[in-house]
Amino acid sequence: MTTATAAPLVRTNRAPARPQRVRSTPSTRYPQSRLLHIVAPSLKVADAASASVFSAVRTRGPIARDAIAQSTQLSIATVNRQVTALLEAGVLRERADLAVSGAIGRPRVPVEVNHEPFLTLGIHIGARTTSIVATDLFGRTLDVVETPTPTGAQSAALATLAASARRYLSRWHRRRPLWVGVAAGGVVDSATGYLDHPRLGWNDAPVGPVLAEALGLPVSLASHVDAMAGAELLLGGRRHVPDAVGGQSRTSLYVYARETVGYALSIDGRVHSPASGPGTIAGLPARSELLGGAGQLESTVSDEAVLTAARKLRIVPAEGPASTLSSVLRAARQGHEKAGELLADRARVLGEAVALLRDMLNPDELIVGGQAFTEYPEAMPQVEAAFAERSVLGARDIRVTAFGNRVQEAGAGIVSLGGLYADPIGAMRRAQTRRATAV
């Protein structure tokens, strides 16, 4: 796998587009810059032979080589070469104990992912909370911790973030970390690992270089909504099947809402990131008197907007430990009429916004995620009803994210795993080289 030195600037859907600035090179700030490995994230279904073989083993293993060949449509000779290389890299292992009785030769010895010795580290930097998650090679969460997102001076905040990640990794004595994946809002430069995050006060923040130098691992940085769409694509449990009709690509629209709103479009097994950055949906029209009548989507449906409205309606106190969104949700579930109406109106606004996006883009698949959808699933019927009423196209099902309230950690996890899934042999070589040079 090679570093994408000319990767496009990836922007989240919140930040407005602006001219790209010329950044000073990391070498002017970091004495070990030539050793830093910042790798653009790979949020796609890769078709290289090693990636196809590893994917077949990951999703269907333990599996024999001839079954891999049938699944991937690769020749048995190609499969044998790739399996041998993956065994040597350490990401696969043979299961001689599962070999078919009486079979002759290695092709009938099943192989499986050698997941116990390794982990990857995912970091989701939210406006208020940062999640640090350990993920195995299957994409399963091993453990996750949440901590307040560091505030204050940018350099001190990054140092605190790196120290937290380093302390977290020190707990894993029996697993070797391979990669770090960071998912964040703001404006992401995936080629250099730099981040602008106005809500945190970060400007040209060298998130990738700081973490790479502190942890001695390759680092990938992605827009958080793109990362969540990538998790659906690669970890959501639904196999990507290209549309065979006329050779057309299949598209999937992912809509996210929590404190911010955003969307990502996947086209034929790849999360699409335009060179100029995706547009923002924060300013889409929205109408709700209960939620403040701000007229724009993000300021109407965000968690903060709902909590502010709940305080005005005296559903929760104006301040204190009970003045939280969780208290609003609890009140609605206990039959509080105003709380129920407030959350139902938020669901209506979300459903109408999803319908507007669907009508513009008309994707083959429609997925919604983020706590605005998942933390109060009782309101999904209102989302679906508003969507059906507002959309001018034919009926289309809305699928809720496969990750529920864990979508942020799943997004960070797939950013840390994408390079491995795209080029497992190259990724293992890069992780080993980076670790050796950092020691």
Side-chain angles (χ1 to χ4, degrees), residues 3-4 26 36-40 189-194 207-210 212 217-221 430:
T3 303
L36 299 178
H37 284 205
I38 309 301
V39 185
D189 188 332
S190 61
T192 65
Y194 278 70
V207 176
V210 167
L217 294 168
V219 177
S220 297
L221 179 63
R430 183 188 295 274

Side-chain angles (χ1 to χ4, degrees), residues 187-416:
V187 182
V188 172
D189 188 332
S190 61
T192 65
Y194 278 70
L195 170 68
D196 289 348
H197 201 308
R199 293 189 67 174
L200 297 178
W202 293 3
N203 180 44
D204 274 0
V207 176
V210 167
L211 289 171
E213 190 168 51
L215 304 178
L217 294 168
V219 177
S220 297
L221 179 63
S223 152
H224 68 158
V225 181
D226 283 357
M228 295 172 204
E232 295 293 336
L233 185 66
L234 296 171
L235 299 176
R238 293 162 65 91
R239 294 186 63 193
H240 169 71
V241 180
D243 191 345
V245 180
Q248 298 177 352
S249 299
R250 293 192 62 83
T251 56
S252 176
L253 173 64
Y254 182 86
V255 182
Y256 172 81
R258 191 183 189 183
E259 277 296 347
T260 61
V261 294
Y263 78 99
L265 192 65
S266 298
I267 303 174
D268 198 24
R270 178 191 294 266
V271 178
H272 178 57
S273 296
S276 59
T280 175
I281 63 172
L284 284 181
R287 54 180 181 84
S288 173
E289 294 302 322
L290 281 176
L291 290 164
Q296 295 187 346
L297 180 61
E298 186 168 280
S299 57
T300 299
V301 302
S302 70
D303 283 359
E304 185 61 34
V306 174
L307 185 55
T308 298
R311 289 166 177 164
K312 289 180 179 179
L313 293 169
R314 299 185 178 180
I315 297 170
V316 295
E319 56 186 20
S323 186
T324 64
L325 185 62
S326 296
S327 297
V328 179
L329 301 178
R330 186 163 50 250
R333 292 190 174 106
Q334 292 173 351
H336 193 293
E337 184 177 354
K338 284 292 186 181
E341 290 176 359
L342 188 64
L343 295 174
D345 210 40
R346 180 199 215 183
R348 174 190 60 78
V349 174
L350 285 169
E352 291 176 352
V354 172
L356 182 59
L357 281 170
R358 181 272 173 113
D359 287 357
M360 287 191 297
L361 300 171
N362 196 21
D364 300 299
E365 184 179 38
L366 184 56
I367 308 167
V368 297
Q371 280 75 358
F373 294 103
T374 61
E375 205 159 35
Y376 190 67
E378 295 91 332
M380 272 308 296
Q382 286 96 332
V383 172
E384 293 167 342
F387 169 81
E389 183 177 350
R390 178 67 182 268
S391 178
V392 299
L393 299 179
R396 176 64 49 83
D397 290 336
I398 299 176
R399 181 164 69 86
V400 179
T401 174
F403 302 100
N405 286 340
R406 296 175 40 251
V407 67
Q408 287 86 3
E409 65 189 64
I414 198 57
V415 178
S416 71

Side-chain angles (χ1 to χ4, degrees), residues 4 22 47 55 57 62 69 78 93 115 132 145 154 160 169 172 198-199 203 208 215 253 255 262 290-291 321 375 396:
V22 178
D47 55 5
S55 177
V57 178
T78 298
R93 63 188 176 194
H115 61 95
I132 303 178
V145 297
Q154 174 177 298
T160 299
L169 278 181
W172 296 91
R199 293 189 67 174
N203 180 44
L215 304 178
L253 173 64
V255 182
L290 281 176
L291 290 164
E375 205 159 35
R396 176 64 49 83

